[in-house]
Amino acid sequence: LRDCTQATTDQWFTTGTPYAYYIRDFLNWAAKQKLVCALDAPGFQKRHGATMDENTHWAIVHRLLHDDTIEIGDRVAGCLVLLYGQQVSRIAALTWGQVTIANQQVRLHLGTACISVPEPLAGLFVRLSGQPRPYNGVATPRDTDWLFPGITGGRPINASVLGARLRRIGIQTTSGRRAALIHLAGQLPAAVLADLLGIHATTAAVWVREAGSDWSN
């Protein structure tokens, strides 16, 4: 450590080893202990696929929240992808039992903790709750507990159908979900992220590291 300089650190990260980034947390700790001078080390660089551009991400979110020409269900589903990093398969399976609406306040249960949904998204949930349910025949109940009911009686919308609907309004669900998770992981500890979004703690830790945060945050 006594001989470690910025040049030494930079050289380490050019070796191509996939484990190079693991020293970042250690170097930050060592600097705080005054065992080494402050060094700049890049964060976790692992990539699993394309991430939606930040400007595109927020432009689509703005459109979903304010464009009344888009079907209300598509707007809510799109926001769940782009703001809460939810997979389309999980969104398709959501029920009204996971949503609490009282005095125009909306709370959403995705994990073990409860999320207070802010406006204007809360208003979209309220409007969706008042939407008439599909009715396709005598065997199909007029009411259903699914947020996004399918055309088959008593069943939710098919995830592939929902994904196709979202793509038609410009949402690439995989890259959009990655953008949402990286944004959230940059602001929340892994344990909190896991509790709020209903993802495994290990998965949450990976996203926090990919966002460039470290354990000390």
Side-chain angles (χ1 to χ4, degrees):
L1 285 176
R2 184 177 58 246
D3 299 325
C4 186
T5 65
Q6 185 63 55
T8 309
T9 306
D10 293 342
Q11 183 179 12
W12 172 255
F13 281 95
T14 63
T15 60
T17 171
Y19 306 107
Y21 53 81
Y22 283 130
I23 70 169
R24 182 173 186 254
D25 291 349
F26 173 72
L27 289 178
N28 289 340
W29 171 84
K32 291 177 181 178
Q33 303 302 314
K34 301 187 184 306
L35 300 175
V36 67
C37 63
L39 299 170
D40 181 30
F44 189 65
Q45 298 299 312
K46 187 176 180 181
R47 290 291 181 267
H48 299 286
T51 301
M52 184 179 289
D53 172 77
E54 185 176 4
N55 291 333
T56 302
H57 175 244
W58 291 115
I60 296 176
V61 168
H62 185 272
R63 181 175 169 227
L64 292 173
L65 292 174
H66 301 288
D67 188 348
D68 285 334
T69 65
I70 304 174
E71 201 275 326
I72 190 72
D74 293 347
R75 295 168 70 184
V76 172
C79 285
L80 289 172
V81 173
L82 298 179
L83 293 178
Y84 296 104
Q86 295 297 293
Q87 295 173 316
V88 172
S89 58
R90 290 192 64 189
I91 295 171
L94 287 174
T95 70
W96 283 106
Q98 294 172 258
V99 181
T100 303
I101 301 177
N103 300 320
Q104 300 299 306
Q105 300 295 312
V106 177
R107 296 174 70 80
L108 180 62
H109 301 261
L110 297 174
T112 58
C114 194
I115 299 172
S116 294
V117 179
E119 292 290 354
L121 180 55
L124 297 183
F125 271 97
V126 173
R127 290 171 58 185
L128 182 64
S129 69
Q131 289 282 98
R133 299 297 181 219
Y135 181 67
N136 304 307
V138 293
T140 305
R142 289 183 179 274
D143 295 315
T144 176
D145 194 41
W146 302 110
L147 255 71
F148 307 102
I151 60 173
T152 304
R155 299 292 301 166
I157 189 171
N158 184 278
S160 61
V161 173
L162 179 58
R165 290 180 64 93
L166 295 179
R167 286 192 294 273
R168 281 199 293 270
I169 58 175
I171 300 174
Q172 297 299 318
T173 56
T174 300
S175 62
R177 178 174 179 263
R178 284 180 53 80
L181 287 172
I182 289 175
H183 173 73
L184 292 170
Q187 303 181 64
L188 298 171
V192 175
L193 192 67
D195 287 346
L196 289 176
L197 301 186
I199 59 179
H200 194 278
T202 302
T203 302
V206 170
W207 284 110
V208 168
R209 185 176 290 277
E210 184 153 348
S213 298
D214 58 41
W215 62 269
S216 63
N217 288 338

